Amino acid sequence: PSNHKEACNFNCYYCAGKLFNKELGTFEMEALELLQKLNGAIPYVIYGGSYTEPILNPYFLTFLAVTKKTRCHFGIHTNGSLLKRLEQEQGWLTELCRISEDKTDYLSVSLDAGTVESHCKTKNIKHDWFTEILEGIKLACEIRRDKPAIRMCYLMNQFNSSQQEIDSIVNFAKENMVDSLRFSIPFASYFQPFSVVKHYRDNV
């Protein structure tokens, strides 16, 4: 549920959960108890949000620790904005890499841009988070040895799809030995009639 104050520090125009009631819960204790009771029965725990930024949550490392304690693998989907800052303040990436077992564990960053300008337009923000995100990804790649997998996602749109932007990010991924870089388009937002989703599927 993010940090209990704001759902996300970005405002992407294609946000999957933009039509949801964006309430923020305080269910961490119940969720941690559930993880322990499951005790590895579900072998892969994926952390993300339909309208929230998961690593804003103050309990996040605790969730990862319990995930590994119960012999599960984790997957993390984040906008990447806080990776550098959390490493500087808490050693967050260092701990993430320490508790990871192999490349079945992964950290996936939704970058969705190849320049500061297109990142600001896509994420509907004013501040240059793009540079800090790239620095955070680079830092994660430097800290890890062979685990976890570092992934990048790039949702293409009218702002970020030039050959120059694509080449720039491909080169960055290769230079830093990122494990995967996926290009795709945003899927239709949740909480819409199927007729709208089918129109999006057929025309976008």
Side-chain angles (χ1 to χ4, degrees), residues 57-128:
N57 188 268
Y59 292 83
F60 196 76
L61 272 181
T62 305
F63 273 97
L64 293 183
V66 172
T67 301
K68 301 315 291 184
K69 181 183 176 184
T70 54
R71 304 172 305 285
C72 299
H73 284 95
F74 63 75
I76 303 167
H77 293 263
T78 174
N79 64 30
S81 59
L82 298 180
L83 295 178
K84 179 183 176 184
R85 194 170 300 182
L86 285 171
E87 174 59 22
Q88 291 172 335
E89 294 175 359
Q90 303 175 16
W92 196 92
L93 287 169
T94 299
E95 181 64 9
L96 176 78
C97 295
R98 186 187 71 79
I99 66 175
S100 173
E101 293 175 75
D102 51 41
K103 285 192 175 182
T104 306
D105 295 319
Y106 70 84
L107 172 66
S108 179
V109 179
S110 300
L111 185 63
D112 307 338
T115 63
V116 174
E117 181 183 9
S118 68
H119 190 259
C120 286
K121 287 180 178 177
T122 296
K123 305 295 185 178
N124 197 17
I125 53 176
K126 305 288 186 187
H127 175 73
D128 172 17

Side-chain angles (χ1 to χ4, degrees), residues 2-25:
S2 188
N3 60 5
H4 307 126
K5 295 188 290 186
E6 60 177 347
C8 185
N9 53 344
F10 290 173
N11 188 28
C12 306
Y13 75 87
Y14 51 74
C15 177
K18 67 182 178 181
L19 301 178
F20 284 167
N21 177 349
K22 295 183 176 62
E23 291 181 354
L24 298 173

Side-chain angles (χ1 to χ4, degrees), residues 12 35 49 53-54 58 60 70-71 84 86 109 129 131 144 146 158 163 168 178 191 193 197 201:
C12 306
L35 263 182
E53 169 49 44
F60 196 76
T70 54
R71 304 172 305 285
K84 179 183 176 184
L86 285 171
V109 179
W129 282 106
T131 303
R144 69 163 181 171
D146 55 351
Q158 66 268 35
Q163 190 67 50
S168 174
V178 170
F191 205 57
V197 176
R201 177 197 64 190

